[in-house]
Structure formats: C-alpha cells, structure tokens
Amino acid sequence: MNNRKTQVAPSFKKSVGAGFQSLVGAKGRTFFVLEIKTPTQKYKPGQKFTYTSDYVELGRSPKAALNFTPESVYVSRRHAAIQKEGNDYVIRNLSQTNPTLVNGQPVADQWKLQNGDEIQLAMEGPKIGFNTPPNNTAKSLPLSIRLQAFRQEVLRPFKTALLIMVVFLTTSIGAGGYFTYSFYNENEALKKQLFSFQDNLTDLETYNQKLEKEVSISQEQADKVRKENKIAKKEMQNMQKQVQDYSKLISNQKNKLAEISAKQAELEASLVKDISRVELVNMYQDDVYLIKMLGVTVEADLPPSILAYVNNLCASIQGTGTGFLLDDGRFVTARHVSHPWLYGNPDSQYILTADGVVHNPTYLANLIEKTISGAKVYANLEAVSPSGKVIKLTSKDFKINRESIVLKESYDQIFEEKVMSGFSMHSGSSDWAVTAPQKEKGKIKMGESMSKSLKAGEKIMILGYPRATELNDLDNIKISFSESNVAQPGLDKNGYIQISNVGTDQGNSGGPCFVVRDGKAYAVGIVSSGSTSPTTSITFVMLTPTGNIK
C-alpha cells in the first residue's frame, strides 16, 4: 500500500458531507462497527458502536468519534483514524509517541482493514474489533442508529464549526446578501454542501415520517417489553421463593449431616481399639467347638422290627456343625444343627439306596415325633475343641423355639395312611439352640442388646469349622476365621442379621459371629443359612441375632 502522511487532519467536508448522506440513506453509503474487546474506565467489553462517516478518529480527544478518558494513559489524544478509500477502509497511525497495531503488527503509515481485524492503541492500550457486516449499506440501518452515528461522528467533532455556520447563514439571509466565507480553505466545497442540504430537506421530511412510524412501532415494542418484564418479575419472585425453600432444605440437610457426623464420631470413639484375627482366634478358639453328629435315636412305642428299621435309618443322619461356650457356661449352636430332622422336606418322603427305596430318615424321624404319642427323637452329639476338650450332648439337652414349626398332612405310601409331619421354616427368631450352664465356662460374651441394631458396613468376624466333613481326620481339627460386613442396618424382614458371604460353608452353621466394641469382642450372631440374590447373583449369609435366645 502506498505510504501516506502520518498526521491527517479530519476533513470537515468529508465528515459532515458523508455524515449527512449516510443520514438520509444516500446510495453507495456504507457503515462499519467497532467492538470494545478490553475493559477501560469508560467502556466495557462487548460494547459496539456503528459509524457511517468516511473519516473517524480514535483517541483521548473529546472530539474523537471513539474517545477514551484521560486514565487511558497509553492512548494519545489523536491516536489513529479510520478513513474510507473507494470501497475499502484503511487505518492510519496519527500518534508520534504510541504505535497503532492491527492483529499485533505495528502500522507504519496505514493499513487496509479486513472484517474481523483487531486494532490495538499502543502496546498496552485497549483492543478494538473492526467489523463490516455482509450488508453494510447505511440505508439498511434504522434511522435511530443513523441519527446516533451522525451525532457522534459530525455533531460532536464539528459542533463549533456547525454553530458558526448556522449563525453565519442566519446573518447572511437577514441582510439579504451573500458573501464567501473561508473555513479551513474549503469555501467552494461548503457552498456545494449547503445546496446539498436544501436538496435533502424533502428526503428529511420523508424520513421524519418514517421515524414517527418507527417510534410508533417502538411504543408497541415497549408495551410488549413492559408486559414481559412483569412476567419476568413474577417468575423472579417465584425463583426467590424456591431459593428460600432450597435454603431451608439445605439447612435441614446440614443439620441431619451434623447429626450423622456426631453419631459416626460416637461410633468411631466406641471402636477406639480393634481386635485382630490372630487375637480373636487366640482368645476364643478353645471355646468354639466342632460338633459331630453321631446319628439320631428314636424312642417310641412301636413293634420292635419297625423300631429297629427306623433307628437303622436314623443312624445315617450325620454331619458337622459349630457351637460355642459362653462365659456363663451355656453352650450355643443353631437349631438346625441340634435338631436336623425338623428341617426335613415333608414332600421328600423317600430316598433311593443300594437296598432300594426307603424312607428319608429326617422325614421319618419328624413323622414319628409328631404322630406317635410319647415318642422321643434326639441326635447324639459330640462337641470337640481344638485343644481336645469334649462335651457329650444330645438334642434333649437343648432348649429351642418350636413356634415356627409348621404341621403338614401328607399320605404315606408305606404306612398306607394319611400322616401329620412338622417341618421348620428358617427365621431369625427360631434358628438357635442353647443348653443349661455346663460345669466348665468359656470366655465368650454375648452382645444381645447390640445384635439387633448393627450398622451397615460394621465388621463381622466369624469362627467355625466350614466343610469339616471333608477332613480326613476329624480328631485333628483347626478353627477357621472369616471376616465380612453387615449388608444392611438392623434386621431383615425375616429377623436375620444379613452379611455378605466371605467363605462360610456347611459346618460353619451354629458358629459365633463377633463385633468389637471398646476393644472387646461380643457374640452378636449365630451362623444360620445362606441365600443368593436372583437379580445380582450376590450370596448373603444370614445370622440369627443372639438377642433372640430365650
């Protein structure tokens, strides 16, 4: 681009003439928009200003079309000018001390501007965006915006000159004379411009009518805005009420959280000292017994041959379980360990053996106990500790809960008559068995009161003898330790403590389950049964609360 002089004085003819032509929407008039990019004391980012003149100055001078306050120390009074050349706009640097930059590059003399260019006044001065919309004809702008542009581009920079011109014209017309007045050596141009003003009076009247129409439309828009503001105000009041309600809710939640935190702190304080698995096993392993079932005996008023047949079958009822000795001498296990025939399936009356089809022994023992008056059925049990201590017991030594035993009538094909058998439903209130105090006492303490109010996630430690029947030497036993957590707070719908399965198995039934409080272990549960969720395939172990033992 050709070099031009750096200092360019604003042209009264070019600014005023172009301003009036743009005001009336003359053909060929265009506009551009300057957008503030960085904050100053006077302007905020995002503010946009529309210009229709052919010459616009930027600086701290009050006469500048885009002027900055004295606090903008990096901006010169006449810093830069944007001038129209043909169909293009160029920017010129007017400052002798501070540079003008376009897209970060200093402008030596002038620079052709493109839509989207970023102008910066000095290295540390404000940044301004230059934009030319696709349809940037002045006629496309509303009259109100053209009037505003005329005011800031023509009236403010040249208000003194215009005032002098008006006074001069008034005096000249009153005297009836005409003479030439030179202002900035542009006398001839000024006369032509005055004639142009007269030619445009008719257009101004037309635009005045258009302005009145736009004002009418603006009034309708104002009414619409007021209506929308009224609706928005009501919505704001509703939102404020919702915020107040949410604030109350949050406050309540904070209070609840504080209560939970206090309870958690209380719980943590009660668990000041934990007990390791080694300590638990060392403390109580000699009080946790492997229970061997040595068959079931039936005493009933039956013919000797039938009684012998029954006892021969019931002698095959064998298995293992776990029991434990309390500090008061009572021996505890699960009811299905001490009385296994109560859990026989009344619909499974027969089993197939090498000798053919015979009665299911658990069903037969159940049947005789319920149908023959005075009949006694009991299991012969032997409880052995790891140290070799032995306790001989029978089912008759245990107190159990018989409330959950359900009677069922069925037809026995061998006896060829209807019979009444009883079977037990598993529940947390019934699967326990306890003896009277033994001569020897253990060290295990029961936690009856805490057994029904355990917290979800509390650690449970279990001792017992899972799958002991698979051991080759039942006389050389070793206790097993397993650990789990309470799956849900309190008790489930069947009255059990529910924990996730961590390795308990057949033979663990009847074993003690401990929690630690204040550095001491308490038996809160008895291993009862297991179940698998059909939806999650997660296996849970059910513990009978020790608080249910009566």
Side-chain angles (χ1 to χ4, degrees), residues 42-258:
K42 184 174 182 180
Y43 302 112
K44 296 181 180 179
Q47 281 188 271
K48 296 180 181 180
F49 301 94
T50 302
Y51 297 93
T52 60
S53 178
D54 289 348
Y55 183 88
V56 173
E57 281 195 6
L58 294 76
R60 285 191 291 112
S61 171
K63 295 182 178 181
L66 182 65
N67 61 73
F68 294 85
T69 58
E71 287 77 9
S72 299
V73 295
Y74 298 106
V75 181
S76 300
R77 287 182 61 79
R78 297 181 64 227
H79 198 111
I82 297 174
Q83 184 171 346
K84 187 174 183 181
E85 290 190 354
N87 294 326
D88 299 323
Y89 290 97
V90 297
I91 186 167
R92 300 175 185 277
N93 181 37
L94 305 182
S95 175
Q96 297 287 350
T97 57
N98 296 311
T100 299
L101 300 92
V102 176
N103 301 327
Q105 299 297 319
V107 176
D109 290 315
Q110 66 181 28
W111 189 291
K112 180 181 175 181
L113 290 172
Q114 303 290 337
N115 181 39
D117 281 348
E118 183 178 81
I119 301 168
Q120 185 172 6
L121 304 182
M123 291 292 186
E124 299 180 10
K127 295 180 180 179
I128 306 157
F130 175 83
N131 298 299
T132 55
N135 179 16
N136 68 330
T137 61
K139 193 171 183 179
S140 66
L141 290 172
L143 181 59
S144 57
I145 295 180
R146 278 181 272 156
L147 285 171
Q148 182 180 359
F150 180 77
R151 184 171 62 251
Q152 66 186 10
E153 297 167 24
V154 177
L155 295 185
R156 182 168 61 197
F158 301 106
K159 63 181 179 181
T160 303
L162 288 173
L163 182 59
I164 293 172
M165 182 184 73
V166 171
V167 172
F168 174 75
L169 289 175
T170 304
T171 305
S172 298
I173 293 170
Y178 176 82
F179 61 92
T180 303
Y181 178 83
S182 175
F183 183 75
Y184 290 130
N185 298 321
E186 296 179 352
N187 178 48
E188 294 300 324
L190 180 58
K191 289 192 293 181
K192 292 180 181 180
Q193 191 64 57
L194 290 173
F195 290 133
S196 177
F197 291 161
Q198 294 174 353
D199 293 338
N200 288 325
L201 282 176
T202 302
D203 292 336
L204 286 175
E205 291 177 358
T206 302
Y207 275 98
N208 183 50
Q209 295 174 357
K210 183 177 180 181
L211 177 60
E212 291 177 353
K213 184 176 180 181
E214 288 183 355
V215 169
S216 176
I217 295 174
S218 298
Q219 183 64 38
E220 293 177 1
Q221 291 176 341
D223 293 339
K224 182 179 179 181
V225 169
R226 279 193 292 270
K227 185 176 180 180
E228 290 176 350
N229 286 343
K230 187 176 181 180
I231 295 173
K233 183 178 180 181
K234 187 174 182 180
E235 290 178 351
M236 180 64 71
Q237 291 173 345
N238 293 335
M239 290 178 64
Q240 288 176 344
K241 186 177 184 303
Q242 288 179 357
V243 169
Q244 292 174 352
D245 294 340
Y246 285 139
S247 298
K248 291 180 181 178
L249 180 62
I250 291 172
S251 177
N252 293 336
Q253 293 296 330
K254 286 182 178 179
N255 293 337
K256 290 181 180 179
L257 183 60

Side-chain angles (χ1 to χ4, degrees), residues 390-546:
V390 177
I391 301 176
K392 298 284 187 179
L393 297 165
T394 72
S395 302
K396 294 185 289 185
D397 297 319
F398 287 90
K399 177 184 178 181
I400 64 172
N401 179 359
R402 293 182 174 272
E403 294 176 359
S404 63
I405 297 174
V406 178
L407 298 178
K408 183 172 182 179
E409 184 180 70
S410 60
Y411 182 79
D412 189 288
Q413 294 180 0
I414 293 181
F415 291 134
E416 296 183 344
E417 62 178 300
K418 288 184 179 181
V419 295
M420 187 70 69
S421 59
F423 64 97
S424 177
M425 299 293 291
H426 272 292
S427 73
S429 63
S430 62
D431 197 14
W432 55 267
V434 61
T435 70
Q438 305 294 307
K439 292 181 180 180
E440 186 173 351
K441 296 182 180 181
K443 298 186 290 295
I444 296 176
K445 295 182 178 294
M446 281 213 303
E448 300 99 317
S449 60
M450 63 184 74
S451 68
K452 298 182 181 181
S453 58
L454 298 176
K455 304 290 188 301
E458 277 199 74
K459 183 169 70 174
I460 297 288
M461 296 185 287
I462 304 169
L463 297 177
Y465 302 93
R467 307 199 70 82
T469 54
E470 297 179 2
L471 300 175
N472 294 325
D473 186 4
L474 289 179
D475 295 324
N476 184 21
I477 61 173
K478 292 183 180 180
I479 196 168
S480 293
F481 172 93
S482 58
E483 188 175 286
S484 184
N485 298 93
V486 177
Q488 68 177 52
L491 306 179
D492 68 9
K493 63 180 180 180
N494 294 318
Y496 285 112
I497 301 169
Q498 190 179 98
I499 64 172
S500 55
N501 186 19
V502 288
T504 60
D505 208 332
Q506 292 181 0
N508 242 127
S509 294
C513 307
F514 298 90
V515 296
V516 177
R517 298 283 174 86
D518 299 326
K520 297 179 181 179
Y522 296 90
V524 295
I526 306 164
V527 177
S528 177
S529 61
S531 65
T532 301
S533 170
T535 56
T536 63
S537 299
I538 298 176
T539 300
F540 296 95
V541 172
M542 310 302 176
L543 312 180
T544 299
T546 54

Side-chain angles (χ1 to χ4, degrees), residues 249-309:
L249 180 62
I250 291 172
S251 177
N252 293 336
Q253 293 296 330
K254 286 182 178 179
N255 293 337
K256 290 181 180 179
L257 183 60
E259 292 177 4
I260 293 173
S261 298
K263 290 181 180 179
Q264 182 68 24
E266 183 181 347
L267 176 60
E268 290 175 355
S270 69
L271 301 175
V272 174
K273 180 182 176 184
D274 200 357
I275 294 178
S276 69
R277 60 185 299 170
V278 175
E279 290 174 323
L280 187 76
V281 171
N282 289 339
M283 282 191 295
Y284 298 128
Q285 68 172 341
D286 212 35
D287 294 328
V288 181
Y289 288 73
L290 169 66
I291 297 177
K292 305 176 186 178
M293 184 171 298
L294 306 177
V296 173
T297 299
V298 176
E299 296 176 355
D301 186 14
L302 291 171
S305 60
I306 295 179
L307 186 60
Y309 166 78

